[in-house]
């Protein structure tokens, strides 16, 4: 009885079902292909995945607030480009990192201002900046060959080791913890959920909806900038078209993790678990020699199955909680506002 | 073989022989390698030993002993799936079949082509890392990723005993030199391809200029800017046109390497410059789009005297058909057939015979027009109908 | 919208009424932008206004136009269809392969249309039965459709199906004088979809569902069915576009539809469709598609270096939507004034 209650409560936490599925998939792939969990392979694929995971988290924050950001992919590419460009011009690593993150910040600010000040739809604004950032990267790569940088310390951002663990892992982990803390423990973070659930209600409650929305786009831009820095460090060179197409992987990953496109529901862990799931699937199929022409079908199936699975599990878990409430056993206090929202409406989207 | 194509064929074969002789690989295996070309019918049945010197020395047997039924795992990572890379792969498979039949090589071939990033190449990075993790023996890579990024990856793989061969790549952009370093600073066993500048772009420019006797204006439909292939072909094409003061490039537009964008771009430019004499499409799909634009405007295709010249580059079956039909004036055949064959030859020489292959293997390319299209098409058809299947 | 015109004082002249109608039209902004483009280019780039160029421009815009019309219906009903581009490619592939198998032309066309409808039903089922968000369901469908096409073609374009009729279908051979078949098809699609949206119950339902799902449900509309029908419309429009594309492109590569979904959405939104549902016009989609085609056309004619193309396209997108936004604000002011006039207060 007690176990059941605990189980349903754990399962109802955003991102837990997908995390369990992720563990199962990893075990299956490890059985199918023993090289899957060798240190080299894990290191490679996590390194490949981290920039996209940062984008996934950024997009997830925007989605939680009820918006969407299509520009993250090419903005990350352009940030990688500006990072490399400052390095090629002989700047030290710190300046380059700041330039990259700053590029993301500028684009995030631009997106946010266009959306909140001019009231233009976020899909179209970020589609426009997707093109603009992609175009600027092409122009940049045509002016300067973005490669051949030997600045000490720059490649260590991804390839260095701290306590035996690759530094990219640390950077990503710190960013994720900070973001989750920010989202759950700060007033601003809670407001993001509030405007995602019901912007007008939040407005009535005194939340400056526009400012919070602007904040989410800036955050997403900064994370895209950070992703760009990591991309540049990992690749050691930057190419036109870098990052294009990443936006859809990021959005799919966030949704797979249980972030609701209707807004108001999601967490950093959920987005990371969803993004890792997509990366793991790709790596696993690759290491089993599956022709990539099958990837899009398998990924599509997985997204469908994942989202359906996530919804069903959560519904089951919540109905379990509700039933016990009716029968009078100790009601577990709703721990987040999203859960209360779910209980009230009984559906998630 | 019909008499009128024979001299051309011989020319092609003698080039190979000369190159092989230069490379000083006149060993037993070298002899038999030069004995069969993609141009002729596969040499499957011929015995290189008896035709080679008239002695009873049997290199085939010796090679068979060296190979000893060994299995090689080969990865093939094209940047995109297309007609061109299918032709390259098929040519490679045909060659592999020959080696299997004659020397008992056992092949495992796996293709993992990128689907979504033909121009950024990051997907290829993941694919190559996968091959490294699974300890393949040799990997053929063609990637749009920056050369320096790929070299880091190749070094990492080479340290674990994996051999890398690049094909159809743009290593000429980095301009590595073998003057003092046999590897040219590259971590590959060999780079099999052609020079995009002088063996593709330049040829197309030269052909247009010669047909037009050095007079006239040209529009060009380019690949997406930012692509290395575009950059290099542009360089060659512009150099060729610059050699003729009477020729000018009046307009250019992005055709994104696809046909419908090529068609739109050509239509727009033809509106602005109605009396151009030639259209250069940087690949065959865009050139065919331009050809449709000429039809749609009711203009005349080049007939050897007048009309608009359209020239592309690739050497695809569909392009050959259009040349025969008079819809496409010419194309630069960058020789997918030879590329696939040479890839396997280089692999075999290095992997089994322990020979040193050159870092840069440049395959012959040439302009195809009505005068020689039958030969090129015949070669291609032979490749596509070949027995190799892995 | 029409109510504003109807309640306007009778003494207003026809010019005033037309003016009022135009001002409150959500597509006014993009129309103004198009006129501005024409005016500017009339002085700086006369070749743009040459009949042959406008004719090319129109022909080029038709595929995106048909997709955008289907997309508009989906957007009105509160959904989004990311699979429309790859569905177009899939249907083009079905039509081409059917021809290669020796099926008669009409059978090939029906096969393509059926494929489009099936994809639409699939999208509808994923969304209404499995409860997936529209964005994700159609993104997954994009994956399925493109995967099928890649596995089927192995990356080699489908060729050898071009009978003379296909040149007509693709608009490469004009039907009558300079009139091409795709033009007629686009016009028919526009009339049918415009008619459905404007004067049928189904059309009203599309708007109702898109404006408020719960509201529509409470008033007895079978929301799930209406949403599925919207996706069938977009699937069918993808099929029509695919058939034209097969003719225009003269081969069908697996990546034929890449990026078309974004173009279709952009055209629809430029034309005044709202991604939040309940708003959109067929005429807007048409103008949106022409705007996009005109942008690329101008880039080519002006000779903008191709590296700057994407930046220009991004800027035009923002401009177009800003123009709509401004027209909405202007029309709001005008409506307010009219209301004041009606109440007898001098403006």
């Amino acid at each position: 009885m007690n176990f059941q209650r605990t189980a349903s409560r754990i399962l109802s936490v955003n991102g837990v079902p997908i995390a369990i599925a992720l563990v199962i998939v990893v075990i299956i792939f490890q059985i199918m292909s023993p090289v899957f969990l060798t240190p080299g392979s894990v290191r490679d694929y996590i390194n490949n995945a981290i920039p996209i995971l940062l984008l996934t988290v950024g997009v997830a924050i925007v989605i939680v607030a009820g918006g969407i950001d299509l520009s993250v992919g090419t903005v990350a590419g352009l940030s990688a480009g500006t990072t490399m460009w400052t390095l090629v011009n002989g700047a030290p690593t710190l300046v380059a990192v700041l330039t990259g993150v700053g590029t993301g910040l500028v684009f995030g600010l631009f997106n946010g201002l266009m959306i909140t000040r001019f009231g233009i739809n976020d899909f179209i604004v970020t589609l426009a900046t997707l093109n603009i950032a992609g175009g600027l990267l092409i122009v940049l790569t045509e002016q300067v060959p973005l490669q051949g940088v030997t600045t000490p310390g720059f490649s260590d951002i991804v390839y260095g080791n701290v306590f035996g663990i690759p530094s990219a892992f640390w950077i990503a982990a710190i960013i994720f913890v900070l973001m989750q803390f920010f989202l759950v423990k700060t007033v601003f973070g809670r407001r993001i959920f509030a405007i995602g659930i019901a912007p007008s209600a939040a407005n009535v409650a005194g939340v400056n909806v526009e400012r919070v929305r602007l904040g989410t786009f800036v955050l997403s831009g900064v994370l895209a900038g950070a992703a760009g820095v990591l991309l540049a460090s990992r690749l050691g060179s930057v190419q036109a078209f870098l990052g294009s197409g990443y936006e859809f992987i990021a959005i799919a990953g966030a949704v797979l993790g249980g972030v609701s496109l209707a807004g108001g529901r999601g967490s950093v862990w959920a987005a990371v678990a969803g993004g890792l799931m997509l990366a793991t699937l790709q790596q696993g199929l690759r290491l089993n020699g599956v022709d990539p022409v099958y990837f899009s079908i398998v990924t599509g199936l997985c997204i469908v199955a994942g989202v359906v699975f996530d919804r069903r599990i959560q519904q089951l878990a919540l109905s379990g909680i509700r039933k016990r409430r009716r029968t009078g056993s100790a009601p577990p206090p709703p721990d987040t506002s999203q859960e209360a929202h779910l209980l009230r409406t009984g559906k998630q989207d | 073989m019909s008499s009128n194509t024979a001299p051309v064929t011989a020319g092609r074969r003698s080039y190979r022989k000369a190159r092989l002789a230069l490379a000083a690989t006149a060993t037993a295996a070298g002899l038999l390698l030069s004995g069969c070309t993609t141009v002729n019918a596969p040499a499957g049945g011929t015995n290189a030993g008896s035709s080679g010197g008239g002695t009873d020395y049997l290199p085939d047997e010796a090679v068979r002993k060296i190979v000893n039924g060994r299995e090689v795992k080969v990865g093939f990572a094209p940047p995109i799936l297309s007609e061109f890379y299918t032709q390259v792969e098929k040519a490679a498979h045909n060659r592999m079949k020959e080696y299997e039949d004659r020397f008992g090589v056992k092949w495992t071939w796996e293709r993992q082509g990128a689907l979504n990033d033909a121009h950024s190449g990051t997907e290829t990075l993941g694919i190559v890392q996968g091959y490294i993790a699974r300890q393949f023996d040799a990997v053929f890579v063609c990637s749009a990723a920056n050369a320096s990024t790929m070299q880091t990856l190749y070094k990492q793989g080479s340290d674990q005993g994996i051999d890398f061969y690049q094909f159809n790549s743009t290593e000429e952009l980095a301009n590595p030199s073998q003057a003092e370093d046999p590897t040219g600073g590259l971590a590959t066993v060999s780079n099999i391809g052609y020079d995009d500048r002088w063996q593709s772009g330049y040829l197309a420019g030269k052909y247009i200029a010669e047909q037009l006797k050095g007079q006239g204006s040209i529009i060009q439909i380019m690949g997406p800017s930012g692509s290395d292939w575009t950059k290099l072909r542009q360089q060659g094409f512009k150099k060729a046109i610059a050699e003729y003061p009477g020729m000018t490039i009046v307009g250019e537009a992005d055709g994104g390497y696809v046909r419908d964008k090529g068609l739109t771009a050509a239509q727009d430019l033809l509106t602005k410059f109605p009396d151009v004499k030639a259209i250069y499409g940087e690949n065959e799909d865009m050139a065919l789009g331009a050809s449709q634009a000429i039809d749609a405007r009711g203009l005349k295709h080049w007939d050897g005297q007048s009309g608009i010249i359209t020239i592309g580059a690739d050497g695809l079956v569909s392009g050959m058909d259009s040349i025969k039909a008079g819809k496409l004036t010419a194309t630069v055949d960058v020789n997918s057939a030879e590329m696939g064959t040479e890839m396997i030859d280089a692999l075999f020489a290095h992997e089994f015979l322990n020979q040193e292959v050159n870092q840069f293997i440049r395959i012959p390319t040439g302009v195809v027009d009505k005068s020689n299209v039958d030969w090129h098409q015949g070669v291609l058809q032979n490749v596509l109908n070949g027995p190799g299947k892995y | 919208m029409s109510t504003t015109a109807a309640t306007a004082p009778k003494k207003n002249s026809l010019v005033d009424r037309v003016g009022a109608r135009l001002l409150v039209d959500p597509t006014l902004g993009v129309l103004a932008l198009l006129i501005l483009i024409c005016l500017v280019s009339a002085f700086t780039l006369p070749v743009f206004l040459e009949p042959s160029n406008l004719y090319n421009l129109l022909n080029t815009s038709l595929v995106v136009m048909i997709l955008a019309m289907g997309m508009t219906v989906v957007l009105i009903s509160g959904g989004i269809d990311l699979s429309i581009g790859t569905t177009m490619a899939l249907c083009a592939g079905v039509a081409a392969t059917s021809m290669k198998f020796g099926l008669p032309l009409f059978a090939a066309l029906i096969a393509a249309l059926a494929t489009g409808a099936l994809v639409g039903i699939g999208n509808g089922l994923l969304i209404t039965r499995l409860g997936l968000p529209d964005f994700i369901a159609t993104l997954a469908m994009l994956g399925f459709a493109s995967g099928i096409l890649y596995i089927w073609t192995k990356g080699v374009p489908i060729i050898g199906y071009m009978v003379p009729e296909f040149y007509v279908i693709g608009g490469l051979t004009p039907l009558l004088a300079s009139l091409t078949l795709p033009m007629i098809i686009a016009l028919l699609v526009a009339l049918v979809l415009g008619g459905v949206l404007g004067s049928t119950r189904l059309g009203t339902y599309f708007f109702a569902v898109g404006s408020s799902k719960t509201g529509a449900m409470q008033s007895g509309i079978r929301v799930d069915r209406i949403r599925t029908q919207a996706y069938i419309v977009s699937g069918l429009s993808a099929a029509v576009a695919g058939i034209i594309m097969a003719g225009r492109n003269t081969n069908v590569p697996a990546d034929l539809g890449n990026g078309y979904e974004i173009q279709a959405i952009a055209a629809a939104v430029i034309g005044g469709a709202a991604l939040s549902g309940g708003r959109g016009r067929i005429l807007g989609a048409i103008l949106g598609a022409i705007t996009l085609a005109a942008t690329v056309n101008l880039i080519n004619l002006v000779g903008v270096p191709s590296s700057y193309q994407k930046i220009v396209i991004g800027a035009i997108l923002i401009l177009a939507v800003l123009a709509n936004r401004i027209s909405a604000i202007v029309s709001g002011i005008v409506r307010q004034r009219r209301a004041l006039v009606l109440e007898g207060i001098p403006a």
Side-chain angles (χ1 to χ4, degrees):
Chain A
M1 198 57 194
N2 212 2
F3 168 77
Q4 231 178 20
R5 189 198 307 167
T6 323
S8 48
R9 283 210 50 197
I10 290 175
L11 280 176
S12 69
V13 173
N14 201 295
V16 167
I18 193 70
I20 294 170
L22 181 62
V23 172
I24 295 170
V25 166
V26 167
I27 292 170
I28 291 172
F29 277 135
Q30 175 62 17
I31 293 167
M32 285 167 72
S33 166
V35 292
F36 186 72
L37 283 183
T38 51
S41 159
V42 171
R43 189 193 165 115
D44 279 347
Y45 107 86
I46 300 275
N47 273 352
N48 293 354
I50 279 175
I52 297 183
L53 287 182
L54 288 179
L55 302 183
T56 311
V57 169
V59 165
I61 292 171
V62 172
I63 292 176
V64 166
I68 194 135
D69 189 350
L70 296 180
S71 68
V72 288
T74 53
V75 169
L78 179 63
S79 299
T82 53
T83 306
M84 218 25 128
W85 179 69
T86 38
L87 288 173
V88 168
N89 286 320
T93 300
L94 183 66
V95 175
V97 171
L98 289 178
T99 312
V101 176
T103 308
L105 175 80
V106 168
F107 270 86
L109 205 57
F110 180 79
N111 282 334
L113 286 177
M114 290 306 278
I115 292 159
T116 55
R117 292 277 179 273
F118 293 95
I120 309 180
N121 182 282
D122 47 8
F123 191 99
I124 286 296
V125 171
T126 55
L127 179 60
T129 42
L130 177 157
N131 277 299
I132 293 172
L136 285 173
L137 180 60
I138 293 177
V139 174
L140 190 61
T141 50
E142 276 193 342
Q143 306 301 324
V144 212
L146 299 174
Q147 58 179 348
V149 164
T150 51
T151 311
F154 184 66
S155 76
D156 287 345
I157 295 177
V158 164
Y159 292 109
N161 268 314
V162 182
F163 304 129
I165 293 175
S167 40
F169 288 32
W170 287 108
I171 294 171
I174 291 169
I175 291 178
F176 296 151
V177 168
L178 280 179
M179 282 296 134
Q180 176 68 14
F181 176 83
F182 171 77
L183 214 53
V184 178
K185 298 286 177 197
T186 65
V187 176
F188 194 89
R190 285 177 176 278
R191 284 182 176 166
I192 291 176
F193 284 99
I195 72 164
I197 293 169
S200 44
N203 196 21
V204 170
V207 175
N208 186 338
V209 174
E210 301 293 82
R211 185 182 293 171
V212 177
R213 290 191 78 192
L214 176 63
T216 60
F217 282 98
V218 170
L219 261 181
S220 161
V222 169
L223 285 174
V229 173
L230 291 180
L231 270 176
S233 166
R234 174 166 73 88
L235 298 175
S237 68
V238 173
Q239 184 90 7
F241 305 100
L242 181 64
S244 55
Y246 287 5
E247 60 279 353
F248 280 120
I249 306 175
I251 295 169
V255 172
L256 184 58
V259 178
S260 163
L261 275 168
R265 178 169 168 264
S267 75
V268 171
W269 303 129
V272 171
L276 264 182
M277 183 69 156
L278 288 182
T280 306
L281 270 179
Q282 195 180 32
Q283 176 79 350
L285 292 174
R286 208 172 256 164
L287 292 185
N288 279 293
V290 177
D291 191 326
V293 294
Y294 293 95
F295 284 12
S296 62
I297 290 189
V298 175
T299 312
L301 275 178
C302 184
I303 292 173
V304 170
V307 175
V308 171
F309 175 75
D310 184 63
R311 285 174 59 97
R312 288 289 138 85
I313 291 273
Q314 300 234 4
Q315 267 163 11
L316 275 181
L318 288 170
S319 70
I321 294 171
R322 240 178 303 189
K323 216 187 298 169
R324 268 185 299 284
R325 266 185 205 170
R326 270 202 302 276
T327 53
S329 64
D335 47 2
T336 64
S337 57
Q338 323 141 39
E339 197 171 279
H341 167 68
L342 283 171
L343 283 169
R344 235 182 5 258
T345 58
K347 60 185 278 194
Q348 289 140 40
D349 292 300
Chain B
M1 193 157 294
S2 64
S3 58
N4 63 332
T5 61
V8 195
T9 313
R12 196 164 175 172
R13 195 198 308 167
S14 65
Y15 174 92
R16 272 181 56 82
K17 273 191 171 160
R19 193 185 55 69
L20 280 165
L22 274 176
T25 52
T27 57
L31 261 174
L32 71 92
L33 288 184
S34 63
C36 42
T37 72
T38 46
V39 183
N40 283 326
T46 59
N47 188 323
S50 58
S51 69
T55 66
D56 52 358
Y57 184 56
L58 293 172
D60 267 31
E61 281 313 306
V63 175
R64 203 169 249 282
K65 222 181 237 166
I66 293 173
V67 171
N68 196 20
R70 188 151 75 86
E71 186 185 335
V72 280
K73 263 163 82 179
V74 185
F76 178 66
I80 189 175
L81 294 184
S82 71
E83 214 176 336
F84 181 78
Y85 292 104
T86 306
Q87 287 173 191
V88 171
E89 191 183 15
K90 185 67 183 173
H93 284 177
N94 292 339
R95 194 57 154 182
M96 284 154 64
K97 179 81 166 66
E98 277 176 41
Y99 281 118
E100 182 172 347
D101 291 348
R102 281 176 77 174
F103 308 121
V105 182
K106 289 204 177 62
W107 303 97
T108 308
W109 179 270
E110 187 182 297
R111 180 190 74 187
Q112 290 205 7
L115 293 185
N116 297 317
D117 67 345
H119 305 301
S120 85
T122 43
E123 201 176 327
T124 311
L125 287 183
I127 290 170
V128 173
Q129 282 170 344
Y131 285 138
I132 295 174
R134 291 159 69 204
Q135 296 290 314
F136 271 55
D137 297 301
V139 182
F140 290 108
V141 186
C142 173
S143 165
N146 249 330
S148 59
T149 302
M150 292 313 289
Q151 293 310 317
T152 316
L153 193 57
Y154 297 153
K155 274 199 197 88
Q156 184 195 331
S158 304
D159 291 345
Q160 301 179 38
I162 297 156
D163 291 330
F164 289 96
Y165 302 79
Q166 279 195 131
F167 67 101
N168 197 45
S169 299
T170 53
E171 62 277 351
E172 61 266 33
L173 196 70
N175 205 13
S177 163
Q178 282 181 291
E180 294 191 343
D181 183 351
T183 68
L186 300 176
T188 43
V189 173
S190 183
N191 288 269
I192 300 104
Y194 56 95
D195 191 311
D196 274 280
R197 295 165 298 189
W198 317 126
Q199 285 187 279
S200 179
Y202 186 78
L203 288 187
K206 204 81 179 160
Y207 180 85
I208 291 177
E210 276 166 11
Q211 294 293 311
L212 294 175
K213 303 193 171 60
Q215 292 295 324
S217 52
I218 309 168
I219 54 180
Q220 51 170 354
I221 318 292
M222 310 191 294
S225 52
S227 153
D228 284 345
W229 284 284
T230 295
K231 216 177 279 176
L232 291 166
R233 286 181 185 181
Q234 281 295 303
Q235 198 184 333
F237 186 76
K238 288 196 166 140
K239 174 85 167 70
I241 298 303
E243 289 170 9
Y244 295 86
M247 311 237 25
T248 44
I249 301 171
V250 288
E252 49 191 42
D254 185 347
Y257 281 148
V258 294
R259 195 174 296 184
D260 67 317
K261 271 197 196 164
L263 165 59
T264 307
Q267 271 184 335
D268 293 349
L269 289 180
L270 279 175
T271 310
K272 193 175 175 189
F273 308 105
D275 34 62
V276 292
K277 296 281 182 285
I279 305 178
Y280 171 47
E282 228 175 72
N283 76 349
E284 234 158 82
D285 253 333
M286 295 193 295
L288 289 171
S291 157
Q292 289 175 17
I294 291 173
D295 282 335
R297 263 188 92 85
L299 297 168
K300 194 168 145 237
H301 289 285
W302 181 254
D303 61 0
Q305 303 297 325
S306 60
I308 298 178
I309 295 178
T310 41
I311 183 167
D314 270 344
L316 309 176
V317 177
S318 49
M320 306 285 177
D321 288 342
S322 304
I323 290 174
K324 270 192 157 166
K327 298 280 186 192
L328 185 67
T329 313
T331 190
V332 179
D333 184 356
V334 297
N335 215 341
S336 52
E338 194 84 2
M339 200 183 292
T341 311
E342 288 279 356
M343 282 157 62
I344 300 303
D345 284 357
L347 170 73
F348 186 78
H350 178 80
E351 183 78 32
F352 289 96
L353 305 178
N354 211 9
Q355 289 179 306
E356 190 65 27
V357 282
N358 200 329
Q359 182 64 264
F360 302 104
I361 297 178
R362 288 287 168 262
I363 54 164
T365 66
V367 175
V368 187
D369 63 8
K370 259 199 169 143
S371 68
N372 59 0
V373 64
D374 288 335
W375 161 48
H376 284 270
Q377 198 176 28
V379 171
L380 264 187
Q381 283 305 341
N382 273 346
V383 166
L384 293 176
N385 298 334
K389 198 168 167 36
Y390 289 88
Chain C
M1 290 158 235
S2 55
T3 51
T4 320
T7 52
K10 271 184 194 137
K11 61 179 175 187
N12 271 11
S13 67
L14 181 71
V15 181
D16 272 4
R17 285 219 303 270
V18 171
R21 184 71 213 243
L22 273 179
L23 273 177
V24 295
D25 198 309
T27 52
L28 176 79
V30 61
L31 193 63
L33 190 74
L34 267 180
I35 292 171
L36 191 72
I37 288 176
C38 288
L39 278 178
V40 170
S41 51
F43 292 104
T44 56
L45 196 74
V47 67
F48 177 76
L49 288 181
E50 263 176 33
S52 68
N53 186 54
L54 294 177
Y55 172 78
N56 279 343
L57 196 164
L58 185 66
N59 258 327
T60 308
S61 71
L62 293 176
V63 168
V64 172
M65 190 185 288
I66 292 170
L67 293 177
M69 291 192 274
M71 184 67 79
T72 300
V73 173
V74 173
L75 290 176
I76 285 174
S77 71
I80 190 165
D81 189 354
L82 295 179
S83 68
I84 204 165
T86 33
T87 307
M88 175 184 86
L90 187 65
C91 294
V94 168
T97 312
S98 311
M99 292 298 290
K100 277 183 88 172
F101 279 145
L103 260 62
L105 185 64
F106 79 91
L109 301 187
I110 286 175
L113 288 170
T115 310
L118 270 180
V119 173
I121 293 172
N123 277 329
L125 289 179
L126 285 177
I127 292 161
T128 58
R129 300 276 163 214
L130 293 182
L132 295 178
D134 301 63
F135 192 97
I136 289 302
T138 55
L139 186 60
M141 188 58 84
L142 184 161
F144 297 150
S146 104
I148 289 170
L149 204 55
Y150 266 110
I151 293 167
W152 166 22
T153 63
K154 300 181 183 71
V156 180
I158 305 169
I159 50 169
Y161 59 88
M162 287 299 290
V163 292
E165 288 90 336
F166 250 110
Y167 284 96
V168 178
I169 291 173
L172 296 175
T173 310
L175 198 61
L176 276 171
S178 55
L179 193 68
T180 64
L181 189 59
M183 287 182 182
I184 299 172
I185 296 175
L187 185 66
L188 281 179
V189 173
L191 289 176
V192 170
L193 290 185
V196 166
L197 286 179
S199 44
T200 66
R201 186 176 290 179
L202 182 63
T204 319
Y205 287 171
F206 282 143
F207 280 100
V209 169
S211 304
S212 162
K213 279 189 197 84
T214 31
M217 217 179 294
Q218 278 157 3
S219 49
I221 297 172
R222 294 162 85 172
V223 171
D224 284 356
R225 180 181 282 196
I226 298 297
R227 294 179 76 192
T228 307
Q229 278 163 352
Y231 282 101
I232 295 174
V233 169
S234 74
L236 283 174
S237 70
V240 172
I243 291 166
I244 294 175
M245 201 62 182
R248 182 176 160 82
N249 212 49
T250 63
N251 74 358
V252 182
D255 57 1
L256 181 69
N258 279 14
Y260 274 87
E261 61 282 345
I262 294 296
Q263 285 194 52
I265 295 171
V269 173
I270 288 175
L275 283 148
S276 46
R279 204 149 58 81
R281 294 192 64 180
I282 294 300
L283 181 63
I286 293 171
L287 292 176
I290 292 176
T291 310
L292 288 185
T295 308
V296 175
N297 180 266
L298 277 169
I299 286 173
N300 287 343
L301 289 184
V302 175
V304 177
S306 59
S307 37
Y308 291 90
Q309 275 203 12
K310 285 186 151 205
I311 303 174
V312 174
I313 289 173
I316 291 278
L317 265 179
I318 289 189
L319 264 183
V321 186
L322 258 186
N324 278 343
R325 186 78 199 142
I326 291 166
S327 90
I329 293 170
V330 170
S331 73
I333 294 169
V334 170
R335 249 184 289 186
Q336 223 168 13
R337 278 194 176 185
R338 280 178 182 273
L340 292 178
V341 169
L342 282 178
E343 285 164 28
I345 305 163

